[in-house]
Amino acid sequence: MPTNTPTNTPTSTLTGREWQLAARPHGWPTPADFALVEAPVPEPGPGQILVRNLFLSVDPYMRGRMNDAKSYAPPYELGKPMQGAAVGRVVASEAEGVPVGAHVVHGLGWREYAVVDAAQAAVVDPEQAPLSAYLGVLGMTGLTAYVGLLRIAELAPGETVFVSGAAGAVGNQAGQIAKLKGAARVIGSAGSDEKCALLVDEYGFDAAFNYKNGPVAEQLAAAAPDGIDVYFDNVGGEHLEAAISSLRVHGRAALCGAISVYNDTEPAPGPRNLGLLVGRRITLRGFLVGDHQDLRDDFVREVGGWLREGRLRYRETVYTGIDQAVAAFLGMLRGETTGKTVVALPE
Amino acid sequence: MPTNTPTNTPTSTLTGREWQLAARPHGWPTPADFALVEAPVPEPGPGQILVRNLFLSVDPYMRGRMNDAKSYAPPYELGKPMQGAAVGRVVASEAEGVPVGAHVVHGLGWREYAVVDAAQAAVVDPEQAPLSAYLGVLGMTGLTAYVGLLRIAELAPGETVFVSGAAGAVGNQAGQIAKLKGAARVIGSAGSDEKCALLVDEYGFDAAFNYKNGPVAEQLAAAAPDGIDVYFDNVGGEHLEAAISSLRVHGRAALCGAISVYNDTEPAPGPRNLGLLVGRRITLRGFLVGDHQDLRDDFVREVGGWLREGRLRYRETVYTGIDQAVAAFLGMLRGETTGKTVVALPE
């Protein structure tokens, strides 16, 4: 068509690379557990769009999907493309309202091209924020921080908050939201002195400690001598036990994940101090962001405003090239990255 | 006064027996940790009443007060009378509205006579229920069951409920309230086959198992193959870990106490499966009945109605004589008693 309107990309011979799970990891995954495969890209059917992915998300929960265990997300199938959040550009469309040239967030990452049901994709505006932000600070990780802190832990102004894994995508945002919502004191833990400095200097945490420098319980008690009211748990294990001991009467813990034990092959020792829950009337509550999509509009409005005002900061660790996706995932799991970890796919 | 109105008992030379904590138990208490002492009874001052206690309550939480540890209830002081719920008859009164002859529930048990601020006592009606019931089924233990099940665990009709320590005063009532409130299935655990039979035959539980007969997790899974929605925890330890594994998505556990570990001298191993809380969106919540006195009127009306209709049953284990109070307490802790354990003090 001799117009300037973007048109469908011919797709009949299109191929794209995708990551498949080659073997189920036992303990820590290794590159040999994954295979990068070139595969034909199907044409979009009615109501579908073809998306050229521009950024892929790697997230801790994906480790669970590599196991063949019943969980909230179905396991990845061996020899099939994996899945995950991605943002991309529509290059062919058979769906009304989602034209070629639009940008969308969807759930078929770990691949260069994806055919997506338009109903499962959300159009996003690259003028409002960089595209990668829709995977992080304005995406699922950001909403996770928002939901966990405000709805699950029910943060009230004036309270003291502890966030573990605080240099991660969810953690740093949880800490910043806590401050923006009036927390009196926000403490973070991270796995290096550099990350701790970042938490205080860039993200405005009141205190931070490197959990590798000593027992978590001792470092937390030193940072919060009067105890904490809210614990945002990204880590589990020793952190959770220490936080329970520090929680005050009517304290709440939002359990977001437990990255410290995802690769354990034996059950980790559990917190020995759950008896404290009774006398202190403590609540521990696990949550998944998927249950709380009703908060998304509030979240985008509020966090978007903070971003525009420069009151909320974020960092990304960007790996480039689809061949780097497994490296990105493993680097994130090992704590080598800071902020949200994404994989950029140059066209 | 030549009338039939009961009058103040002369108190100037009155003495009464009271239990004092003689030593702080290490592990399981022994009779040597307690002393029964004869002491002068003071005269009631303005606004006070003198009560002849008729029934004393012994409760698991009292074990915690024997330790010198900061907790929700202050520790018992060595060489001072202990405290606990009691019901008695007013024998002298300097308080308006609480006449001699009235019956009251108050918090100064472990003794024959108590001088009580009238504001800290609640008048009860022996015509409505036996006096001892105000310590159990219509008292703190009953309210604990009601609060834990309905407010803390937010039981909904059609759900499956598991109650540990179910032959105890709180547990059997929690199970019965669950059935009366429309639970689809109620399972209890207890420490003997006889108690299990009682749970099913007398209290209407759908199933019960003796936790001494095998691993709790296996027995619970057999009794609730599709999992549970609500866990009412009186026990902690192995029971709590098993219940977490059985809790379904959006399951809730109300943590009332952990009698299995009260006498431990080392921290018991904690549940190794708290990671399940995230994917299943499980909530664990500790509570104390004292925070929920606003439910008392609802509780008395509803449970009183069920009692009158014969829809809620209760048992008591009654020890007689103040010299039996420690034996009653230890028997209750060891699980030798059934239902609410009280000590009757014949006049």
Side-chain angles (χ1 to χ4, degrees):
Chain A
M1 280 187 291
T3 76
N4 288 323
T5 309
T7 57
N8 277 354
T9 296
T11 56
S12 57
T13 61
L14 191 63
T15 63
R17 286 175 292 173
E18 63 186 31
W19 281 99
Q20 298 181 354
L21 190 64
R24 299 204 179 279
H26 182 74
W28 279 89
T30 68
D33 295 325
F34 307 90
L36 186 59
V37 172
E38 179 109 16
V41 177
E43 296 192 35
Q48 291 187 321
I49 51 179
L50 173 65
V51 181
R52 173 61 165 88
N53 284 334
L54 299 171
F55 291 96
L56 310 179
S57 181
V58 291
D59 298 282
Y61 79 90
M62 293 169 166
R63 176 62 187 88
R65 299 188 69 176
M66 294 169 191
N67 297 332
D68 187 20
K70 197 176 143 190
S71 184
Y72 57 92
Y76 292 134
E77 293 181 66
L78 290 179
K80 297 277 176 66
M82 303 195 300
Q83 297 179 7
V87 61
R89 190 169 43 77
V90 178
V91 296
S93 175
E94 300 296 337
E96 260 188 81
V98 188
V100 170
H103 292 89
V104 293
V105 173
H106 62 91
L108 296 183
W110 290 94
R111 67 196 84 182
E112 289 176 305
Y113 288 93
V115 173
V116 182
D117 291 338
Q120 302 295 320
V123 175
V124 298
D125 182 357
E127 306 286 319
Q128 293 294 318
L131 280 175
S132 58
Y134 293 103
L135 297 179
V137 67
L138 282 175
M140 187 190 72
T141 46
L143 182 60
T144 301
Y146 189 87
V147 162
L149 195 68
L150 302 181
R151 175 174 279 177
I152 305 298
E154 301 179 77
L155 173 72
E159 293 191 317
T160 296
V161 177
F162 173 47
V163 181
S164 60
V170 172
N172 86 66
Q173 199 158 343
Q176 290 186 83
I177 293 173
K179 291 296 287 185
L180 287 161
K181 285 288 192 178
R185 185 167 170 80
V186 177
I187 298 145
S189 70
S192 76
D193 294 346
E194 292 70 23
K195 287 181 179 178
C196 289
L198 191 71
L199 290 178
V200 174
D201 298 341
E202 181 159 325
Y203 296 128
F205 284 57
D206 297 286
F209 63 84
N210 178 349
Y211 66 85
K212 295 175 179 169
N213 284 352
V216 175
E218 288 176 19
Q219 295 196 79
L220 177 57
D226 298 324
I228 62 176
D229 301 291
V230 164
Y231 173 47
F232 194 108
D233 184 31
N234 293 302
V235 169
E238 183 190 358
H239 273 85
L240 180 54
E241 180 170 292
I244 289 169
S245 285
S246 274
L247 277 166
R248 290 200 277 235
V249 168
H250 298 302
R252 291 89 60 203
L255 276 53
C256 178
I259 199 168
S260 73
V261 301
Y262 284 171
N263 295 300
D264 288 356
T265 54
E266 298 292 329
R272 294 159 298 178
N273 54 356
L274 285 194
L276 294 174
L277 268 57
V278 178
R280 297 193 194 161
R281 299 84 128 181
I282 290 170
T283 300
L284 306 186
R285 175 169 284 172
F287 74 103
L288 295 178
V289 67
D291 293 337
H292 303 279
Q293 297 298 327
D294 61 295
L295 279 184
R296 181 174 285 280
D297 289 348
D298 289 346
F299 157 73
V300 169
R301 187 178 59 249
E302 201 157 19
V303 171
W306 289 328
L307 284 171
R308 284 190 296 278
E309 296 163 8
R311 301 175 68 196
L312 191 144
R313 312 186 69 168
Y314 69 100
R315 283 202 181 188
E316 293 172 341
T317 300
V318 183
Y319 290 68
T320 300
I322 192 167
D323 57 305
Q324 294 303 303
V326 167
F329 174 70
L330 293 174
M332 178 276 302
L333 266 196
R334 284 193 294 258
E336 294 167 4
T337 64
T338 302
K340 175 65 188 166
T341 304
V342 297
V343 182
L345 306 188
E347 291 185 269
Chain B
M1 279 190 291
T3 78
N4 287 324
T5 309
T7 57
N8 278 355
T9 296
T11 57
S12 58
T13 60
L14 191 62
T15 63
R17 286 176 292 173
E18 64 187 30
W19 282 100
Q20 299 181 354
L21 190 63
R24 300 205 178 279
H26 182 74
W28 280 89
T30 69
D33 295 325
F34 307 90
L36 186 58
V37 173
E38 179 108 17
V41 176
E43 297 192 35
Q48 292 187 320
I49 52 179
L50 174 66
V51 181
R52 174 61 165 87
N53 285 334
L54 299 171
F55 291 95
L56 311 179
S57 181
V58 292
D59 298 283
Y61 79 89
M62 293 169 166
R63 176 62 187 87
R65 300 188 68 177
M66 294 170 190
N67 297 332
D68 186 19
K70 196 175 143 190
S71 183
Y72 57 91
Y76 293 134
E77 293 182 65
L78 291 179
K80 297 277 176 67
M82 303 195 302
Q83 298 179 8
V87 60
R89 189 169 45 77
V90 177
V91 294
S93 174
E94 300 296 336
E96 261 188 81
V98 189
V100 170
H103 292 90
V104 293
V105 173
H106 61 91
L108 296 182
W110 292 92
R111 67 195 83 181
E112 290 177 304
Y113 288 94
V115 174
V116 182
D117 291 338
Q120 303 295 320
V123 174
V124 297
D125 182 357
E127 305 286 319
Q128 293 294 318
L131 280 176
S132 59
Y134 293 103
L135 298 179
V137 67
L138 283 174
M140 186 189 74
T141 46
L143 183 59
T144 301
Y146 189 87
V147 163
L149 195 68
L150 302 182
R151 175 173 278 177
I152 305 299
E154 300 179 77
L155 173 72
E159 293 192 317
T160 296
V161 177
F162 172 47
V163 181
S164 60
V170 172
N172 87 66
Q173 198 158 344
Q176 291 186 82
I177 294 173
K179 291 298 286 184
L180 288 161
K181 285 289 191 179
R185 186 167 170 79
V186 177
I187 298 144
S189 71
S192 76
D193 294 345
E194 292 70 23
K195 286 181 179 179
C196 289
L198 190 72
L199 290 178
V200 173
D201 298 340
E202 181 159 327
Y203 296 129
F205 282 59
D206 297 285
F209 62 85
N210 178 349
Y211 66 84
K212 295 175 179 169
N213 284 351
V216 176
E218 288 176 20
Q219 296 196 79
L220 177 57
D226 298 324
I228 61 176
D229 301 291
V230 163
Y231 173 47
F232 194 110
D233 184 31
N234 292 303
V235 168
E238 183 190 358
H239 273 84
L240 181 54
E241 182 170 291
I244 290 169
S245 285
S246 275
L247 277 166
R248 290 200 277 235
V249 169
H250 298 302
R252 291 89 59 204
L255 276 53
C256 177
I259 199 169
S260 73
V261 300
Y262 284 171
N263 294 299
D264 288 356
T265 53
E266 297 293 328
R272 294 158 298 177
N273 54 356
L274 284 194
L276 294 174
L277 267 57
V278 178
R280 297 195 194 159
R281 299 83 128 181
I282 291 170
T283 300
L284 306 186
R285 176 169 284 171
F287 74 103
L288 295 179
V289 66
D291 293 338
H292 304 278
Q293 296 298 325
D294 60 296
L295 279 184
R296 180 175 286 280
D297 289 348
D298 289 346
F299 157 73
V300 169
R301 186 178 59 249
E302 201 157 19
V303 171
W306 289 327
L307 284 172
R308 284 190 296 277
E309 297 161 10
R311 302 175 67 195
L312 192 144
R313 312 185 70 166
Y314 68 100
R315 282 202 181 189
E316 293 172 341
T317 300
V318 183
Y319 289 68
T320 300
I322 192 166
D323 57 306
Q324 293 302 305
V326 167
F329 174 71
L330 293 174
M332 179 275 303
L333 267 195
R334 285 193 293 258
E336 295 167 5
T337 64
T338 302
K340 176 64 187 167
T341 305
V342 297
V343 182
L345 306 188
E347 291 186 269

